Amino acid sequence: MTAAERPILPKLVGERIKRREDPRLITGHATYVDDLKLPGLLHLAFKRSDSAHGVIKNIDTSAAEQMPGVELVMTGKQLAEILGPMPIGTPFPSPDHYAIATDRVRYVGEPVAVVVAADRYLARDAADAIEVDIEELPAVVDPEKAMQGEPAAVHEGFENNLAVPYVPGGTGVDPATMEVDNSALDKAFAEADVNISQRMTNQRLAPNAMEPRGVVAHWEPGKEQITIWSGTQNPHILKTMIAAQLGVGQHQVRAIAPEVGGGFGCKINIYGEEYTAAAISRKLGAPVKWIEDRSEAFMATTHGRDILAYVDLAAKRDGTVTALKLRLIADVGAYNMLLTAAVPTLTMLMLNGTYDIPVVRAELTEVFTNKTPTDAYRGAGRPEATYFVERAFDMLAHELGMDPADVRRKNFIKKDAFPYTTQMGAIYDSGDYETALDRALQNAGWEQLKQERDQARAEGRIVGLGLAYYVEVCGLGPSASLPTGGWEHAGVTIERDGRITATTGSSPHGQGNETTFAQMLAEQFGVAFDDVTILHGDTGVVKQGIGTFGSRSQAVGGTVLMNAGEKVKKKMAKFAAAMLDANEDDLVFENGMISVKGSPGSGKTFAEVASFAYVPVPLPPGVEPGLSDEAFWEPENNTYPFGCHIVMMEIDRETGEPRLTKVVAVDDAGTIINPMIVDGQIHGGLAQGIGQAMIEEVVYDEDGQLVTGSFMDYAIPRADDLPWFEMDNTVTTTPVNPMGAKGVGEAGTLGSTPAVVNAAVDALSPFGVKHVDMMLRPEKLWRLMQGGGA
Amino acid sequence: MSEKATVSITVNGKVHEEEVEPRLLLVHFLREHLGLTGTHVGCDTSQCGACTVHIDGASAKSCTVFAAQADGSEVTTIEGVGSQDNLHPMQEGFWEEHGLQCGYCTPGMIMSAINLLNENPKPTEKEIREGIAGNLCRCTGYQHIVKAVQYAAEKGVVR
Amino acid sequence: MIPTEFDYKRATSLDEAIQLLSSSSEAKLLAGGHSLIPLMKLRLSEPETLVDIGRIPDIKGIREREGKIGIGAGTTHHEVETSDLLREKAPVVADCAGEIGDPQVRNRGTLGGSLAHADPAADYPAVMLAIDAEFHIKGGNGWRTVKASDFFQDMFTVDLADDEIIVNAMFDPIQSASYAKLHQRASHYAIIGVAAALGVENGLIQWARLGLTGAIGYAVRMPNVEEALIGKQPEQDTIDAAAGIAGDGLEDINSDLHASAEYRRAMIKVFTRRALEGAVARL
């Protein structure tokens, strides 16, 4: 084919390109952890505590050891001889936390022993045959009582169960000394026309990625290397931590995230089961597998959210908000996991919302209780902030009789005020909040919806409208803000046949980076989409990386990929220049050709240049053979995407059952690589945000027993729970990265949750209701309509 | 040890005769014995539907069926629905409409969606949502799945 | 996720099933398995023997004979939901089946399994009470017939001996009956389910039967509501008055995470009214 005959390649970035990942997934050929088989594979099962809090008096493993197929049974004490307490990723003081409890249990589901057997059925049988004698201690369930030291101490050395005793932030707080000056705060509240004061909870949730956690660990004696496959969001962190825990070099560990069935934050943490599997594989010199059951996951996989706030807001009569103060109490459960202590600090960081509030103050306390530990869950700290702020703004609107949209508009940070430094210390990169608000109002038909609501009310129906605005901190880095490192890594190789193979330290589990990253690289090099392959999730293939969380793949992983690509492209230009006898600066890469600007027919094909680069005769002066390079990059700042979600709700007057009749979302994630994938990300976030508002809640009873221990009692949205989502977006690019992309993985969960609750409160306002805590259990709403209080 | 049961189960058109423990769940028979790992396990209380297959033409949660019960039955799994070179219209719909993200619920979801169209070739949006109510997806918010089923319905999927 | 071991026996006939039940200790019947297997996977049920009756033709199918409708105990919820005969002759039964679980559960779960398991929040029992079904049961001592109103005795407890099998449920065709249910959003069992059936002649309610599930440990009739309806015109006022006393006097109302006893009490009235309205609409 001559150059002139070559097809003109379609534009890729910004297009709805079908996903590269899908063929294997829709035909059942993808390989998740549980699909792996290795010769001699043994299976682990954990015996877990039925008690929330107690002292282990005795563990009788004798019956289990006698059972057929059982290779090994280990208690926590025995395991502790080969495995130390687990590391965490935050700088706060933390109690020792062993993979398997050694002397005391602190939540229902905490492992007390592990069985290794020939198959999973036998392993389960043997685990059930272990007898555990636990002397019960009072269960610490209520975080506010726990803060008074009641009814017991979860950990020795942590007075009043304070995991993080007191962190102040915002106006009047010196970040260096933590000294607090209340003068501005006191003045604002003293001079306010209106004060809003409300205790609000952001309840505990179970992440429930559809693939439960799982791990296969394979220590190879002689080679002295371990390969660990895990359903993780960050294989490089897994590798680092496994090496540290096993006391081996990082060169001895290869971590692989195979196909991963969703994460939502709960697969960031490196768990005790992963360390246990690795240690036991080394001890036995055999491969071992552990796969979590769902009912196990409800106890053993980190929970999300669970933070309550005493919110005070000061405003002028015209709706100008003059101060916001929050006292935050996070119930972190029984232990600090990788990022547990850090998640509520993200709530603090985002308390300015999208508003130019001159005085914002937060005080954070984190409390241990006898519950499953919390950690990141989709949004991780930011949905909590958005919820508190957006509920308070709605309460203000209600108090003043203003349209909720107007109150927000009045206080928005103006378009020309960016970069904007908030009272909490965040530097918002860019924003155009009014445009997205206007778009959302217009798409929803806000004025007409208000009429419909009023009409319905006149008919005696219980109908409400809810609006919420969010801003999120995304593109997590730089390293100063992330103990794991806030960068990302990428490698780009032009193969000898001219195809491109790239590696990324991002580790997708549904986000579609094999597709979006290929779109970007193909466009960068002017080659066909099908000629680009993205590899990820294997530390044996991807040299370095951090991983996928905090909506960082596109903003950080995407940027570094382009940077690596640019390095290779420059080098490739040198080879092409030599072949074409041209100046490298005069070359264009398009339609699979590298040509001299202005004479598109004159060039060399990509494959020709690649081939030459690997057998460069003669080697152009000052150039090494080959076409492969890598890059590290970390952003100087985070990105701050934003958006507006509007919902309409009708509540059954007799039963209290809420039903959404409209969901409108306008999101601004900056530059979009693949709008189809972005829509999908937001849809999923909306569903989870709506789930939190309406049907999801982890409940413990007063003895610390987990009441919502399976899908029989913990609902996640089904298809028939949700209405059609009406989607739109605005584009405000970020100056933080050259693509201008901000990130979108968590956005949907931010606006939808408060929008739904705002709608519920609006619907119930004729009953004098000013606030209702999540979840919107029908009985709760019914009681409010009976005038009985929730 | 309980006595084993001999089963003969036709899976994706191929007869498999095996001795199984009575307590062996069909999903483990498919995954562990036959290596058909496209069928997944997402819960243990019969809610999530990740394990959905067709037994004698009707969708069923294979985690809630003993292999012994399926003796003599014809089972179709995702691997028997269509191949990469010859996708079933429902698979095509999921690909075209971005009906999946992490893909874990997808095989079960596709099996349920096919079952739906077999019974109701032109479902409304509401009927689609009810038809896949036995399958939980945590990624997509279901909207693109609804579109995928509509795509397949448009193409005429019954088989 | 993994049940304990058990002996598996498959019966090819009703008599063989009864014989297997009699000769095995701690035996349970396995039909669709959708009540039993989830419990076994969580090890909340550990039977020593399962007798599989899933292939016995005598206990499957929906037939009309001598003016009565019979549903074989082994008939799936889906077969009930989609039965033309039931849609025409007893639509409340088909409606009820369509409210159970989800499509896959309905494809496997059976009428007999649901009735014998007698979950306090199961749907069928309420409807069986309202349509005054009688269950034909066969056991070591031969056949007997139990009325639905005598069958449900306590939580997970029914009038069924260890060696007995429900063969079918028989009832008269009925149009003017309806089932109304408040869904528990996770399990989709009933928080409260009410089935109402009415007989109207000469413009007056001649008889009424109300079946209630989810409220206490087992499904019950609501005789006070029934009495309040008899002799009245099937009008909204009648319905409202009767529904207004639904559940009154009922003790030991269930209370759990999803609904307190007080809320359930209120919902009994709401769903009684809705079921009655549905029944009247079919007059």
Side-chain angles (χ1 to χ4, degrees), chain A residues 45-48 59 61 73-76 100-101 111-115 130:
Chain A
F46 288 86
K47 175 74 177 178
R48 296 179 184 275
I59 301 178
T61 58
V73 182
M74 289 184 97
T75 63
I100 299 182
V112 292
V114 61
V115 168
I130 295 172

Side-chain angles (χ1 to χ4, degrees), chain A residues 23-24 26-27 29, chain B residues 79 81-89 91-92 95 159:
Chain A
R24 65 180 186 264
I26 56 179
T27 54
H29 292 111
Chain B
E79 290 92 343
V81 163
S83 64
Q84 201 148 329
D85 304 329
N86 183 25
L87 291 177
H88 186 283
Q91 292 171 314
E92 221 178 280
W95 194 9
R159 90 174 180 208

Side-chain angles (χ1 to χ4, degrees), chain C residues 99-149:
Chain C
E99 291 282 318
I100 298 171
D102 58 52
Q104 296 97 306
V105 168
R106 295 195 289 274
N107 278 341
R108 299 288 300 178
T110 64
L111 172 67
S114 171
L115 296 177
H117 181 61
D119 190 291
D123 296 294
Y124 270 137
V127 169
M128 292 295 130
L129 288 169
I131 62 173
D132 200 25
E134 51 187 37
F135 305 138
H136 291 209
I137 292 169
K138 196 175 187 192
N141 292 327
W143 287 91
R144 67 190 182 101
T145 300
V146 181
K147 288 182 88 64
S149 50

Side-chain angles (χ1 to χ4, degrees), chain B:
Chain B
M1 213 50 168
S2 50
E3 200 178 313
K4 292 205 169 188
T6 306
V7 296
S8 171
I9 305 175
T10 305
V11 180
N12 302 331
K14 196 173 161 199
V15 183
H16 296 270
E17 274 205 26
E18 300 224 9
E19 292 226 306
V20 300
E21 244 194 302
R23 64 171 168 164
L24 181 71
L25 297 165
L26 177 60
V27 67
H28 289 145
F29 176 77
L30 296 170
R31 290 179 51 82
E32 315 272 328
H33 289 228
L34 306 188
L36 294 169
T37 56
T39 304
H40 299 147
V41 177
C43 80
D44 43 16
T45 49
S46 314
Q47 259 88 27
C48 84
C51 63
T52 301
V53 299
H54 292 179
I55 303 178
D56 298 324
S59 63
K61 294 178 176 176
S62 63
C63 76
T64 313
V65 178
F66 293 116
Q69 285 177 283
D71 179 30
S73 291
E74 298 226 3
V75 173
T76 307
T77 70
I78 188 68
E79 290 92 343
V81 163
S83 64
Q84 201 148 329
D85 304 329
N86 183 25
L87 291 177
H88 186 283
M90 188 62 75
Q91 292 171 314
E92 221 178 280
F94 272 71
W95 194 9
E96 291 289 338
E97 299 294 344
H98 187 30
L100 62 149
Q101 289 176 29
C102 83
Y104 196 75
C105 77
T106 308
M109 192 70 80
I110 288 174
M111 299 312 286
S112 279
I114 293 173
N115 183 77
L116 168 69
L117 292 198
N118 283 341
E119 295 193 346
N120 179 1
K122 295 287 173 204
T124 62
E125 183 199 334
K126 183 167 183 284
E127 287 167 342
I128 292 172
R129 289 182 184 272
E130 289 167 356
I132 57 170
N135 295 74
L136 297 176
C137 167
R138 196 61 155 163
C139 292
T140 64
Y142 302 102
Q143 189 144 317
H144 283 159
I145 296 178
V146 171
K147 289 177 88 167
V149 180
Q150 287 169 337
Y151 175 99
E154 223 20 66
K155 280 205 122 185
V157 74
V158 183
R159 90 174 180 208

Side-chain angles (χ1 to χ4, degrees), chain C residues 30-34 53-63 69-86 93-94 97-98 100 104-116 124 128 165-171:
Chain C
L30 176 69
H34 275 52
I53 54 170
R55 304 296 174 88
I56 302 176
D58 314 9
I59 60 168
K60 284 178 186 292
I62 303 160
R63 288 173 204 89
I69 297 171
I71 305 177
T75 309
T76 65
H77 309 323
H78 179 257
E79 286 161 347
V80 172
E81 178 190 5
T82 55
S83 158
D84 289 339
L85 178 66
L86 290 173
V93 183
I100 298 171
Q104 296 97 306
V105 168
R106 295 195 289 274
N107 278 341
R108 299 288 300 178
T110 64
L111 172 67
S114 171
L115 296 177
Y124 270 137
M128 292 295 130
I165 299 174
I166 306 170
V167 177
N168 63 33
M170 301 276 285
F171 49 91

